[in-house]
Amino acid sequence: MRIGIVILPDQRWSDSRRRWRQVEEWGFDHAWTYDHLGWRDLVDGPWFDSMTMLTAAATVTSRIRLGTLVASPNFRHPAAFARQVTALDDVSDGRLLLGLGAGGIGFDATVLGGETLPPGRRVDRFAEFTELLDLILREDGTTWRGEWFAAVDARNNPGCVQRPRAPFVMAANGSRSMRLAARFGQGWVTTGLGGDDLESWWSSVEDLAARMEVILDRAGRDPATLDRYLSLDSAPVFSLTSVDFFAEQVARAARLGFTDVVTHWPRASSWYAGDEAVLAAAAALLPELRRA
């Protein structure tokens, strides 16, 4: 079991730097940030760009993997984004994990003046976004014209440090998106399907894990080639409520076949409110938790 943490991009770098260094020193396997132009009740800020924050994080760390949780087509074009991906993979010396998703319905969906798409259309766009991004990152000189995106001789030189490209960790809870993850992903991340209580959330996670097994089998893909990430804090209870609770959640994810879990750096209030002392205590148990 590998264990990662999300550091929201809601602090100035002079404050955030400490956190990125700390999670590497503690021994976390990967660290992530949200890729939004504004998010929920934190939209009034402060809030910073994910790719810039991750690039800064790459310069103060040397081992931990770094990623977006998750980038989406709401405000990104594959040709321009590919240049950012290539640069970040280079600065981090091949430590980038590229989380991708279909895009939500909040601030990101409307801030550029576009319409809020229904779920099916967001998945349509996500499929095209992923296919074109994959192509540009693997081949130099891509020309494409689709329903959502166009590219003319899009370049990727020199390409990613990781070959053939930085790994895609694809967010998916629905069957179509899960099939995309089976086709393009080196990892799959799920948030579960909600639920009013912890047990119903875990039941949805178990169902999704079983569904992914079926999808991989139908795609003819070896399940061992797809890492499975679970965002623990999509549950109704914050995973770092206590050290014991965190350990229980990690062990439960492992029993369902997840290879990776992700928690969040505790905040003073609002989303992921908690105590940093609990995080520090959980970090001390990382070697034990990995054996879950």
Side-chain angles (χ1 to χ4, degrees), residues 179-228:
R179 288 195 294 270
L180 279 175
R183 179 182 175 190
F184 290 103
Q186 286 65 58
W188 163 59
V189 58
T190 181
T191 57
L193 293 175
D196 295 331
D197 59 76
L198 188 61
E199 287 307 312
S200 62
W201 181 80
W202 273 109
S203 179
S204 76
V205 170
E206 183 175 4
D207 289 345
L208 287 167
R211 189 189 309 171
M212 179 55 84
E213 292 293 329
V214 173
I215 288 171
L216 291 171
D217 181 65
R218 290 176 177 171
R221 180 166 177 179
D222 181 356
T225 65
L226 184 73
D227 292 333
R228 321 320 173 61

Side-chain angles (χ1 to χ4, degrees), residues 245-266:
F245 182 73
F246 182 68
E248 291 170 4
Q249 303 313 289
V250 172
R252 196 162 182 175
R255 290 195 295 271
L256 292 179
F258 286 91
T259 60
D260 298 75
V261 294
V262 181
T263 185
H264 288 71
W265 189 290

Side-chain angles (χ1 to χ4, degrees), residues 154-175:
R155 304 303 182 93
N156 75 353
N157 187 33
C160 293
V161 172
Q162 302 176 87
R163 296 295 182 174
R165 55 158 170 74
F168 288 2
V169 178
M170 300 187 63
N173 289 332
S175 294

